Amino acid sequence: MSWERQINVKNPAELRIMREAGRINATVLAAVKERLQPGVTTADLNAAAEEVLKSFGCVSPFMNYGRPPFPASITVSINDEMVHGIPNPRRKLKEGDIVSIDCGTIYDGFVADSAFTAGVGEISPQATNLLEVTNGALYAGIEKMRKGNRTGDVSAAIQKHVEDRGLHVTREYTGHGVGRKMHEGPQVPNIGTAGTGLLLRPGLTIALEPMVLVGTHETRVLPDKWTVVSADGSLTAHFEHTVAVTEGEPLLLTVL
Ligand code: MG
Ligand code: MG
């Protein structure tokens, strides 16, 4: 069965474990964010993440994921690189770059998955706006993560937030259920139609992850077979949280 069809509702004990996984993941991301300075290499950022993961006795589900096996614990994607950039000891951050960091944490058999994009030093007004719109799209989606809504309500809210502001949202890369595996059902695209899709119920845990591009929704994959870039070279950003549906307010799992 493909991962999109494996939908696992979590019980309260499982949600408590996922909340702890999320707290650790947020600690990792905060440590990486502190190190975003000119001259730091993307491999340095991965090493910083691994040090924090190790201090909690945790590992990232990214390591050795997929084919070819992903060779690091975080992805680091700069400027036109949207997602899945491979940490590299020769790749240095520069003033004005925007850097997307995505990390997962496996804790007690459960996965948390979260990402942010931030600037190195001063960034352009275009980049600042892109970051605001992408983070805003994530929260527009989170707001719809309520019992009785459908996944299409979440997708449509993300798409509308981005397109109303004149930017583009990816068609191919989606949010996803998360639990014992990094990718479970349901798949939650960043575009969609309200009122369609899976009915949301308490205990569903979903990683929402809008990926936004300035010039086009089209992307391509670099010859390293991982790094996804905007087709036109324009700036991109990515924010992600793992969120649980409850009887009431949406519960963010990947915060401190
Ligand atoms: Mg992620
Ligand atoms: Mg994800």
Side-chain angles (χ1 to χ4, degrees):
M1 197 156 73
S2 61
W3 66 262
E4 297 93 330
R5 300 173 68 91
Q6 296 171 344
I7 293 165
N8 301 307
V9 172
K10 282 75 178 181
N11 65 35
E14 292 171 329
L15 284 177
R16 280 193 292 275
I17 296 169
M18 287 190 68
R19 178 70 184 92
E20 192 54 32
R23 206 184 307 276
I24 295 167
N25 204 62
T27 306
V28 174
L29 288 178
V32 173
K33 195 171 192 176
E34 267 180 23
R35 285 170 172 77
L36 296 180
Q37 300 290 337
V40 171
T41 73
T42 58
D44 293 335
L45 299 176
N46 182 62
E50 289 183 349
E51 191 181 307
V52 179
L53 282 165
K54 198 174 167 194
S55 75
F56 287 98
C58 292
V59 292
S60 167
F62 295 9
M63 183 62 90
N64 294 319
Y65 185 87
R67 292 287 174 275
F70 193 81
S73 295
I74 64 173
T75 68
V76 185
S77 311
I78 302 175
N79 296 335
D80 63 314
E81 299 166 356
M82 185 175 80
V83 286
H84 305 168
I86 302 173
N88 181 330
R90 293 176 304 282
R91 184 79 184 273
K92 287 184 177 164
L93 305 186
K94 300 190 308 288
E95 174 87 15
D97 282 343
I98 56 170
V99 186
S100 299
I101 307 290
D102 195 344
C103 185
T105 295
I106 305 172
Y107 171 78
D108 201 6
F110 284 86
V111 175
D113 185 10
S114 180
F116 71 90
T117 305
V120 178
E122 282 280 302
I123 61 172
S124 69
Q126 182 189 61
T128 302
N129 180 59
L130 172 65
L131 267 50
E132 280 176 16
V133 170
T134 311
N135 195 40
L138 172 58
Y139 280 85
I142 291 170
E143 178 54 35
K144 297 290 184 186
M145 283 280 289
R146 292 171 185 274
K147 178 183 171 182
N149 281 351
R150 292 182 180 273
T151 52
D153 296 313
V154 177
S155 300
I158 290 171
Q159 180 177 15
K160 180 172 169 39
H161 187 92
V162 174
E163 293 181 351
D164 281 357
R165 288 157 182 80
L167 298 180
H168 304 266
V169 68
T170 183
R171 266 60 177 155
E172 300 118 302
Y173 297 88
T174 73
H176 52 91
V178 52
R180 289 190 185 276
K181 293 200 175 134
M182 180 161 61
H183 294 125
E184 302 181 346
Q187 192 167 40
V188 182
N190 289 302
I191 56 167
T193 305
T196 65
L198 184 79
L199 190 64
L200 297 178
R201 56 191 189 275
L204 280 176
T205 47
I206 299 175
L208 298 183
E209 48 181 318
M211 297 156 226
V212 177
L213 308 91
V214 167
T216 174
H217 65 79
E218 288 178 15
T219 58
R220 63 190 174 87
V221 179
L222 295 186
D224 67 18
K225 295 196 162 61
W226 276 107
T227 312
V228 179
V229 300
S230 61
D232 64 354
S234 65
L235 288 178
T236 68
H238 177 212
F239 284 84
E240 177 179 30
H241 274 305
T242 301
V243 185
V245 179
T246 74
E247 290 289 342
E249 293 294 307
L251 175 64
L252 268 71
L253 299 174
T254 41
V255 291
L256 290 176

